[in-house]
DNA sequence: AATAAAAAAAAA
């Protein structure tokens, strides 16, 4: 088989190829090294338990590597043209085969060569030798998507005989020659990896199949990377290559950090002191304790208010769980890019502490769509490589191989958007890579209370798969509605292959209203921790307020100074209130914050806010901050008095969390925390904006259960459970209609999510990957879901600049931009266009107008790597831009406003 | 006529 090719390319007039034999050797060796040095213990155990013993497990793995491109030994593949369109190269390689006796291959023209792509063909050949479908389906899926049905495989050899054997005459010597050669490769593989015949290759569980599929793709990508495993000159004597050396150098170029061995610490208290310099506080200690005494730790849900140290608790949990379950990395998922960026330095510090202790380098990845723009991530040094003999100094590094869009999730320590986790439940090509990456780690998901029903569907399913892999999961959240809490545990539990009815669980699992609360699984037991140190807590007064009383109340409350917050439900309302209130109180005393600001300006505004009313800030005498929901999301700021539009109970409580958050001295009039709720209604008729955002049902229930005072934190869970309970309350006919609407609404969301959602994992017996990524109902136009993990119509993001006399500048600067210097900075000046411009009716026209505009005015952006693919708009001297019938105006104080353009005549 | 906030989109 020395004359078959696996890869070929013409570069600078020189011809290169990679002989098939070489590529098979390379891949088998690389996958073997990955097994030894990269897979975590937990992952290996999963495969081993499916196969019998470790030696056999490694052999199966290497056999996959060796046989993955077996079907490149077919006329269908060998007659493929080179990508570089090099006729000379193609011809020379075919001549090699002619000389070997494959007469006629040079002139062979197959009717359907693409019907037998080599992954599928490989599976077909293996099945014809009697290899089981677990193993063969991994070969069949090694290009990212497993075959759709057994039938597709079984018809191959008969229907497309010539693709495999050059002609359809079985007795023909050339037909035979192909067959013999293919079988020879197979037999060599068996011999090399110690299987006596095709029946000796063991079957695998479905979860083991996915992990090995991922590992095979990974090994193939590494072995196909010319920087690690170079092609060979076509006239070069390849027998001179030292295999041992080729593998060693190739692998070392890729392998930059050793596998993480979690520290075998003595006790949790010392670990806390070591990592963070303090002893664990109550909630932290209780979580650590639960993990410590669990014999089969699974999922841990920690519901607790901000400020109890959930992040540190999770980081220590990662170390504990990694040690207990044999994991070698972690994924820390957050709801937004901004929160990921925000937590990144803290996690970096924790990891630095670990690497220093262990005297071993580890690589850290920030994983989201705009990670490349983050400086903290950017300044992590590139890994130099492993110094086997010398001791490493133990620093954080990055390995560029993991910066690819699909390889990112394979890195060992990852901070990223939760989407990266949710995507593991979405049917898409190369999904096995994502599963491979996650199954290596401990998974932490933060701020789970913030996810809607659509994301929830993906979260549950992703968690279920984690259960199947035995991956420990830590969920951090504010109070969860009991039903969601139960779904989380249940899905994990089902993933492990057990029956929910056999679970030993507390009766009030779903209605438990303690807060803080830890719920966790330990083997077949579900346990809850409800006893925590009694917290002092505090009482918040709730007052309902009419819009027309707002100014007067503000005036009265702030007469002795103080910081007031006003959180409303729509951007437009925030902007209107800003006008009204700044008129009365003066521009200098009022701030506005919402998402319709350019991203950089918003970051500045938030930093500014933190410096004024964040923790330990020196507070201004008087300030009114008006904003939308951005204020309730993870900003650690502190208001003396707070006003809010009516919103669902859990969100109101999130907002209340910003009221008297820290213990500081406050103006005399504002020493009692008061929370004013705007937009309530005797008749339960709410304003259209609030309705559109939250729906009538939740607003009605919230208003119904809204008390006159709330004790923080003890009332929190009770109120949330009441609001989200399914019981009947008598609020008349409108309520029943709203309830029905809500059910339909949620049902639609869930259905949409399920369209492209991955199916349940199999029970942990034998399985295969056939049909794993099949699209269930491709023609079902109704309820068509799109392949995404967030439920939203597409919104359009643009970069905003303004016109100057001599060029263009950023909106809050006047210096002309120089693309060769400013491209990266420019790329961060984005804003999302109003929904009105991206409705189904409008979006195509909006985008095409933008594209035409960009081609004309901003064509020079497209050659900048930072700007490639982005759309920009240039504001005129009035800070305006006309787009698809709308007049957009950007104001530094107000943010983006828009109005329909007057059509005259 | 719409209405918050939020993310993502390439393979051997
Ligand atoms: Fe390959």
């Amino acid at each position: 088989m020395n004359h078959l090719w696996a890869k070929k390319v013409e570069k600078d007039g020189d011809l290169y190829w990679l002989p098939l034999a070489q590529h098979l050797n390379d891949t088998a060796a690389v996958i073997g090294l990955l097994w030894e040095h990269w897979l975590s213990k937990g992952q290996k155990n999963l495969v081993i338990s499916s196969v019998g013993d470790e030696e056999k497990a490694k052999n199966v793995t290497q056999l996959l590597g060796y046989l993955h491109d077996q079907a490149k030994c077919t006329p269908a593949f060998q007659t493929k043209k080179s990508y570089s369109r090099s006729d000379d190269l193609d011809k020379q390689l075919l001549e090699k085969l002619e000389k070997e006796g494959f007469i006629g291959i040079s002139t062979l023209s197959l009717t359907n060569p693409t019907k037998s792509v080599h992954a599928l063909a490989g599976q077909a050949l293996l099945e014809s030798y009697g290899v089981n479908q677990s193993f063969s389906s991994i070969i069949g899926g090694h290009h990212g998507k497993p075959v759709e049905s057994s039938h597709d495989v079984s018809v191959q050899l008969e229907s497309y005989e010539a693709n495999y054997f050059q002609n359809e005459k079985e007795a023909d010597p050339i037909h035979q020659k192909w067959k013999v050669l293919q079988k020879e490769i197979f037999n060599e593989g068996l011999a090399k990896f110690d299987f006596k015949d095709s029946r000796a290759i063991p079957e695998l569980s479905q979860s083991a199949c996915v992990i090995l599929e991922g590992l095979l793709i990974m090994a193939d990508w590494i072995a196909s990377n010319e920087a690690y495993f170079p092609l060979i000159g076509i006239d070069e004597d390849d027998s001179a290559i030292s295999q041992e050396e080729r593998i060693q150098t190739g692998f070392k170029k890729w392998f930059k950090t050793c596998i993480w061995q979690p520290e075998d610490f003595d006790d949790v208290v010392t670990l806390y002191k070591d990592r963070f310099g303090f002893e664990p506080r109550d909630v932290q200690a209780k979580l650590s304790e639960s993990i410590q005494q669990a014999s089969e730790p699974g999922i841990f849900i920690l519901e607790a208010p901000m400020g109890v140290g959930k992040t540190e608790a999770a980081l220590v949990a990662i170390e504990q769980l990694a040690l207990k379950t044999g994991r070698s990395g972690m994924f820390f998922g957050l709801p937004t890019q901004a929160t990921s960026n925000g937590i990144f330095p803290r996690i970096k510090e924790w990891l630095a502490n670990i690497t220093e202790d262990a005297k071993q380098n580890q690589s850290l990845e920030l994983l989201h769509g705009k990670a490349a723009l983050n400086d903290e991530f950017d300044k992590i040094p590139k890994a130099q490589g492993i110094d086997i003999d010398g001791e490493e100094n133990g620093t954080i590094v990055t390995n560029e191989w993991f910066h690819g869009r699909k390889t990112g999730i394979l890195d060992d320590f990852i901070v990223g958007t939760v989407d990266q986790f949710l995507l593991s439940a979405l049917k898409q090509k190369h999904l096995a890579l994502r599963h491979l990456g996650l199954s290596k780690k401990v998974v932490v998901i933060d701020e789970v209370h913030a996810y809607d029903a659509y994301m929830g569907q993906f979260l549950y399913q992703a968690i279920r798969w984690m259960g199947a892999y035995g991956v420990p999961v830590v969920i951090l959240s504010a109070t969860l509605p009991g039903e969601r809490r139960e779904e989380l545990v249940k899905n994990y539990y089902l993933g492990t292959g057990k029956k929910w009815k056999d679970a030993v669980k507390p009766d009030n699992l779903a209605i438990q209203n303690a807060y803080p609360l830890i719920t966790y699984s330990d083997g077949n037991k579900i346990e809850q921790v409800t006893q925590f140190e009694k917290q002092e807590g505090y009482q918040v007064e709730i007052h309902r307020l009419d819009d027309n009383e707002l100014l007067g109340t503000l005036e009265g409350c702030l007469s002795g100074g103080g910081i007031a917050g006003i959180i409303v439900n729509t951007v437009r309302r925030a902007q209107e209130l800003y006008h009204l209130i700044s008129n009365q109180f003066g521009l200098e005393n009022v701030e506005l914050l919402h998402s319709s600001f350019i991203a950089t300006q918003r970051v500045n505004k938030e930093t500014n806010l933190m410096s004024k009313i964040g923790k330990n800030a020196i507070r201004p005498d008087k300030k009114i901050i008006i904003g939308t929901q951005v204020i309730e999301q993870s900003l650690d700021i502190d208001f003396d008095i707070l006003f809010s539009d009516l919103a669902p109970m859990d969100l109101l409580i999130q907002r209340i969390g910003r009221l008297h958050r820290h213990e500081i001295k406050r103006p005399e009039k504002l020493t009692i925390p008061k929370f004013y709720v705007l937009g309530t209604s005797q008749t339960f008729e709410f304003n259209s904006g609030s309705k559109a955002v939250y729906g009538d049902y939740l607003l009605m229930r919230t208003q119904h259960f809204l008390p006159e005072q709330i004790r923080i934190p003890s009332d929190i869970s009770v109120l949330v459970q009441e609001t989200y309970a399914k019981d009947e309350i008598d609020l008349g006919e409108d309520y029943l209609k709203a309830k029905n609407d809500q059910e339909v609404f949620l049902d639609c969301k869930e259905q949409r999510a399920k369209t492209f959602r991955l199916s349940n994992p199999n029970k942990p017996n034998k399985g295969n990957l056939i049909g794993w990524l099949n699209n269930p109902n491709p023609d079902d136009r109704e309820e068509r879901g799109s392949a995404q993990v967030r439920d939203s119509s597409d919104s359009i993001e643009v970069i905003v600049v303004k016109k100057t006399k001599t060029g263009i500048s950023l909106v809050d600067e006047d210096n002309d931009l120089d693309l060769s210097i400013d491209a990266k900075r420019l790329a961060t000046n984005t804003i999302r266009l109003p929904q009105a411009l991206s409705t189904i009716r409008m979006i195509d026209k909006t985008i095409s107008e933008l594209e035409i505009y960009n081609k004309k005015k901003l064509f020079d952006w497209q050659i900048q790597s930072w700007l490639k693919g982005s759309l920009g708009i240039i504001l005129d001297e009035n800070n305006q831009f006309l787009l698809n019938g709308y007049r957009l105006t950007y104001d530094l104080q107000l943010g983006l406003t828009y109005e329909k353009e007057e059509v005259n005549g």
Side-chain angles (χ1 to χ4, degrees):
Chain A
M1 70 152 154
N2 291 331
H3 302 88
L4 299 161
W5 63 274
K7 298 174 193 299
K8 54 180 174 179
V9 72
E10 176 179 340
K11 245 189 294 186
D12 308 324
D14 294 325
L15 307 182
Y16 298 89
W17 73 314
L18 189 64
L20 180 57
Q22 185 65 63
H23 180 57
L24 298 184
N25 264 326
D26 290 347
T27 312
V30 168
I31 206 170
L33 288 165
L34 289 176
W35 174 278
E36 287 296 333
H37 302 291
W38 189 82
L39 269 192
S40 70
K41 219 189 316 168
Q43 287 172 304
K44 286 195 220 176
N45 285 339
L46 192 83
V47 180
I48 292 168
S49 70
S50 178
V51 168
D53 63 85
E54 164 140 25
E55 198 188 333
K56 203 163 165 194
K58 187 181 170 188
N59 279 332
V60 181
T61 307
Q62 288 202 273
L63 185 61
L64 281 169
Y66 193 78
L67 292 179
H68 83 282
D69 277 347
Q70 182 205 10
K72 286 192 172 175
C73 174
T74 54
F77 183 84
Q78 291 297 315
T79 53
K80 269 181 77 168
K81 303 266 180 270
S82 54
Y83 290 120
S84 49
R85 290 277 149 216
S86 167
D87 295 342
D88 198 25
L89 178 58
D90 295 343
K91 195 162 140 255
Q92 286 197 34
L93 286 171
L94 286 171
E95 270 164 17
K96 278 183 197 265
L97 288 174
E98 288 274 352
K99 268 189 229 147
E100 273 303 290
F102 292 102
I103 315 294
I105 188 85
S106 302
T107 51
L108 180 69
S109 166
L110 294 161
T111 348
N112 286 312
T114 53
K115 294 282 187 193
S116 311
V117 289
H118 74 268
L120 169 62
Q123 181 168 354
L125 286 175
L126 291 177
E127 280 192 14
S128 77
Y129 306 149
V131 174
N132 69 70
Q133 284 191 325
S134 310
F135 187 92
S136 62
S137 70
I138 299 175
I139 302 289
H142 89 268
H143 277 186
K145 187 161 191 276
V147 302
E148 295 198 356
S149 73
S150 315
H151 181 256
D152 290 352
V153 183
S154 59
V155 300
Q156 272 291 317
L157 293 186
E158 240 173 84
S159 306
Y160 306 106
E161 210 175 341
N163 285 349
Y164 290 81
F165 312 117
Q166 200 166 331
N167 59 47
E168 280 149 18
K169 293 163 286 195
E170 213 188 327
D172 187 279
I174 292 182
H175 187 291
Q176 283 303 319
K177 203 172 164 66
W178 282 109
K179 200 171 239 173
V180 168
L181 192 52
Q182 291 154 358
K183 195 67 191 266
E184 221 174 86
I185 298 177
F186 178 66
N187 286 333
E188 254 170 65
L190 290 184
K192 249 177 133 94
F193 300 107
D194 205 23
F195 294 99
K196 78 174 192 306
D197 56 34
S198 62
R199 302 274 164 207
I201 299 173
E203 278 190 278
L204 298 151
S205 66
Q206 184 197 34
S207 46
C209 283
V210 180
I211 288 182
L212 291 182
E213 177 79 278
L215 199 67
L216 176 58
I217 295 172
M218 183 175 180
D220 195 16
W221 287 8
I222 294 170
S224 302
N225 190 317
E226 290 170 37
Y228 310 144
F229 294 92
L231 302 197
I232 297 162
I234 197 154
D235 297 319
E236 210 175 305
D237 176 12
D238 57 342
S239 63
I241 297 172
S242 153
Q243 289 303 315
E244 177 66 18
E245 202 182 302
R246 177 176 165 94
I247 302 301
Q248 287 305 319
T249 29
F251 191 71
K252 262 193 215 150
K253 277 186 191 157
W254 173 81
F255 191 59
K256 300 287 171 63
T257 49
C258 289
I259 193 157
W260 176 45
Q261 313 272 10
E263 190 180 317
D264 198 352
F265 57 89
D266 297 328
D267 66 296
V268 175
V269 177
T270 325
L271 187 61
Y272 262 92
K273 280 204 269 195
D274 204 27
R275 296 284 180 253
F276 312 115
F278 58 77
E279 293 189 7
R281 287 179 278 158
D282 186 41
V283 171
Q284 297 172 325
K286 298 261 162 68
L287 179 67
S288 292
E289 217 174 280
S290 325
I291 296 173
Q292 223 40 32
Q293 51 79 30
S295 50
E296 250 182 87
I299 186 169
F300 290 78
I301 305 173
L302 171 57
E303 295 170 61
M306 278 177 88
V308 303
K310 273 185 284 189
T311 306
E312 289 86 2
L315 292 174
V316 168
I318 288 168
E319 294 193 55
Q320 293 179 279
L321 289 166
L323 188 66
K324 279 203 149 187
T325 68
R327 304 292 141 175
S328 295
M330 67 99 197
F331 173 82
F332 204 112
L334 296 121
T336 67
Q337 296 181 343
T339 43
S340 314
N341 291 343
I343 211 165
F344 189 69
R346 284 169 74 188
I347 293 189
K348 198 169 155 188
E349 215 174 298
W350 163 76
L351 185 60
N353 195 293
I354 290 182
T355 55
E356 275 161 35
D357 276 7
K359 292 262 173 290
Q360 213 181 50
N361 297 350
Q362 291 300 341
S363 82
L364 174 64
E365 180 95 9
L366 180 64
L367 194 64
H368 63 61
K370 289 191 179 141
L373 296 171
N374 183 286
D375 292 330
E376 192 76 23
F377 176 45
D378 199 42
K379 71 183 187 210
I380 298 177
K382 297 205 167 42
Q384 293 306 313
I386 289 177
D387 183 357
I388 303 278
D389 310 315
E391 199 176 61
E392 291 179 345
N393 35 10
T395 53
I396 297 177
V397 293
T398 63
N399 179 348
E400 270 190 89
W401 190 82
F402 293 104
H403 292 353
R405 207 174 52 76
K406 293 197 169 181
T407 55
I409 196 75
L410 296 170
D411 212 347
D412 286 347
F413 291 86
I414 303 181
V415 180
T417 45
V418 66
D419 304 62
Q420 301 294 336
F421 178 65
L422 303 182
L423 281 168
S424 66
L426 183 73
K427 289 184 177 175
Q428 51 173 11
K429 220 175 156 192
H430 295 115
L431 185 65
L433 280 179
R434 197 172 289 279
H435 282 225
L436 174 67
L438 288 166
S439 60
K440 187 178 180 181
K441 307 178 172 68
V442 178
V443 170
V444 179
I445 306 295
D446 200 359
E447 307 213 41
V448 168
H449 56 267
Y451 305 149
D452 73 353
Y454 184 92
M455 291 170 84
Q457 290 304 308
F458 286 95
L459 183 63
Y460 298 146
Q461 196 67 347
I463 279 178
R464 194 159 172 153
W465 277 88
M466 293 307 110
Y469 296 124
V471 166
V473 175
V474 180
I475 300 285
L476 306 178
S477 178
T479 280
L480 288 169
E483 193 192 5
R484 300 187 57 191
R485 176 193 305 142
E486 182 172 0
E487 280 299 305
L488 289 166
V489 190
K490 186 174 165 184
N491 274 286
Y492 189 91
Y493 192 89
L494 291 172
T496 62
K498 297 192 262 286
K499 291 202 177 74
W500 186 233
K501 68 172 168 55
D502 298 337
V504 182
K505 52 182 180 281
D507 299 332
N508 55 353
L509 179 59
I511 50 171
Q512 175 59 255
N513 57 17
Y515 188 57
L517 174 64
I518 297 172
T519 308
Y520 68 95
S521 72
D522 176 7
N524 68 337
K525 297 193 296 277
I526 313 294
E527 312 258 14
Q528 288 191 310
V529 181
T530 56
Q531 297 303 313
F532 293 88
E533 273 169 22
K534 260 260 157 309
Q535 273 173 287
E536 187 51 33
Y538 58 97
Q539 197 90 11
V540 176
E541 288 181 11
I542 313 285
H543 302 278
R544 303 180 187 203
L545 195 72
D546 251 17
D547 270 17
N548 54 30
E549 300 166 296
L550 178 60
L551 278 180
T553 312
L554 266 177
E555 196 73 66
C557 294
L558 292 186
S559 59
I563 314 292
I566 306 177
I567 307 179
V568 296
N569 290 344
T570 63
V571 173
R572 175 153 288 178
R573 185 160 145 83
Q575 288 165 332
E576 282 164 3
L577 281 177
Y578 178 78
H579 260 309
L580 187 75
I581 293 171
S582 58
N583 264 339
Q584 179 148 348
F585 289 82
L587 275 175
E588 69 285 1
N589 288 320
V590 188
E591 298 280 346
L592 179 63
L593 184 64
H594 52 65
S595 72
S596 282
F597 283 103
I598 295 170
T600 44
Q601 219 199 325
R602 172 160 163 206
V603 172
N604 290 343
K605 276 177 166 288
E606 286 181 1
T607 329
N608 183 275
L609 209 52
M610 289 295 291
S611 74
K612 284 192 175 126
I613 59 169
K615 204 165 188 176
N616 303 324
I618 299 167
R619 297 162 72 90
D621 287 338
K622 188 193 272 188
K623 204 92 201 171
I624 301 169
I625 290 117
I626 303 168
T628 57
Q629 292 81 342
V630 294
I631 295 182
E632 88 208 6
Q633 290 175 6
S634 59
L635 273 183
D636 187 8
I637 49 179
D638 178 325
F639 297 107
D640 296 318
I641 180 168
L642 192 55
F643 301 76
S644 162
D645 274 348
L646 183 68
M649 189 70 81
D650 50 331
L651 300 182
L652 286 186
I653 289 168
Q654 282 289 110
R655 295 175 188 185
I656 290 174
R658 270 81 192 158
L659 178 61
H660 290 217
R661 183 186 196 84
H662 309 126
E663 289 207 8
I664 53 171
K665 189 164 157 27
R666 300 182 192 279
E668 244 164 70
K669 281 186 155 180
L670 303 175
T671 49
I672 297 172
K674 288 184 186 165
F675 185 69
Y676 290 87
V677 181
L678 300 159
T680 57
S681 150
Q682 288 290 328
T683 52
F684 292 91
E685 289 163 296
F686 308 112
N687 76 55
S688 60
S690 296
K691 276 161 65 159
V693 175
Y694 297 117
D696 268 322
Y697 174 75
L698 281 177
L699 295 176
M700 284 171 139
R701 277 191 84 99
T702 301
Q703 181 179 310
H704 177 74
F705 288 111
L706 192 66
E708 286 181 356
Q709 43 191 10
I710 296 183
R711 182 136 200 107
I712 304 289
S714 51
D715 288 348
I716 292 178
S717 188
V718 183
L719 288 168
V720 172
Q721 303 313 332
E722 267 175 354
T723 307
Y724 283 87
K726 295 265 151 55
D727 63 327
E728 296 299 335
I729 49 175
D730 185 17
L731 295 179
E733 219 163 280
D734 289 348
Y735 171 75
L736 291 176
K737 183 179 176 303
K739 179 171 185 174
N740 188 51
D741 287 352
Q742 174 78 356
E743 276 163 10
V744 172
F745 173 76
L746 289 182
D747 209 51
C748 279
K749 260 185 188 274
E750 286 172 14
Q751 285 312 317
R752 268 201 305 277
K754 281 176 183 162
T755 317
F756 285 98
R757 200 180 70 162
L758 190 63
S759 315
N760 296 339
N762 286 352
K763 293 276 175 301
N765 43 24
K766 306 302 168 196
N768 63 55
L769 294 177
I770 296 172
W772 189 51
L773 300 180
N774 282 9
N775 187 353
N777 39 355
D779 329 299
D780 186 0
R781 307 256 297 294
E782 208 141 330
E783 304 291 359
R784 197 178 86 248
S786 43
Q788 54 189 28
V789 294
R790 298 213 189 204
D791 189 25
S792 64
S793 49
D794 285 325
S795 60
I796 304 168
E797 195 179 67
V798 295
I799 295 175
V800 188
V801 291
K802 70 175 185 202
K803 205 163 120 184
T804 64
K805 289 210 174 63
T806 44
I808 56 170
S809 77
L810 296 181
V811 171
D812 51 357
E813 291 179 5
D814 291 311
N815 318 336
D816 280 355
L817 290 166
D818 175 353
L819 279 191
S820 60
I821 304 167
D822 298 316
K824 183 176 178 186
R825 218 155 57 90
L826 185 53
T828 60
N829 280 256
T830 54
I831 196 169
R832 265 175 217 172
L833 293 180
Q835 199 60 50
L837 280 163
S838 49
T839 55
I840 305 170
R841 237 162 33 82
M842 299 284 279
I843 190 160
D844 288 343
K845 183 139 187 284
T846 307
I847 291 182
S848 80
E849 272 190 30
L850 279 170
E851 278 170 350
I852 293 166
Y853 177 84
N854 274 260
K855 219 170 241 167
K856 221 163 67 191
K857 303 276 185 167
L858 296 167
F859 49 87
D860 49 342
W861 286 17
Q862 293 309 316
I863 50 168
Q864 298 288 335
S865 61
W866 290 110
L867 301 171
K868 205 181 280 169
S870 14
L871 295 167
I873 60 175
I874 307 174
L875 302 175
D876 63 16
E877 38 292 303
N878 300 316
N879 283 320
Q880 295 190 327
F881 187 82
L882 292 179
L883 180 60
N884 199 1
Y886 280 85
R887 180 185 303 279
L888 304 174
T889 309
Y890 193 82
D891 179 283
L892 289 177
Q893 265 76 48
L894 278 180
L896 188 71
T897 52
Y898 63 99
E899 58 190 354
K900 209 154 178 99
E901 203 193 350
E902 297 290 323
V903 187
N904 296 324

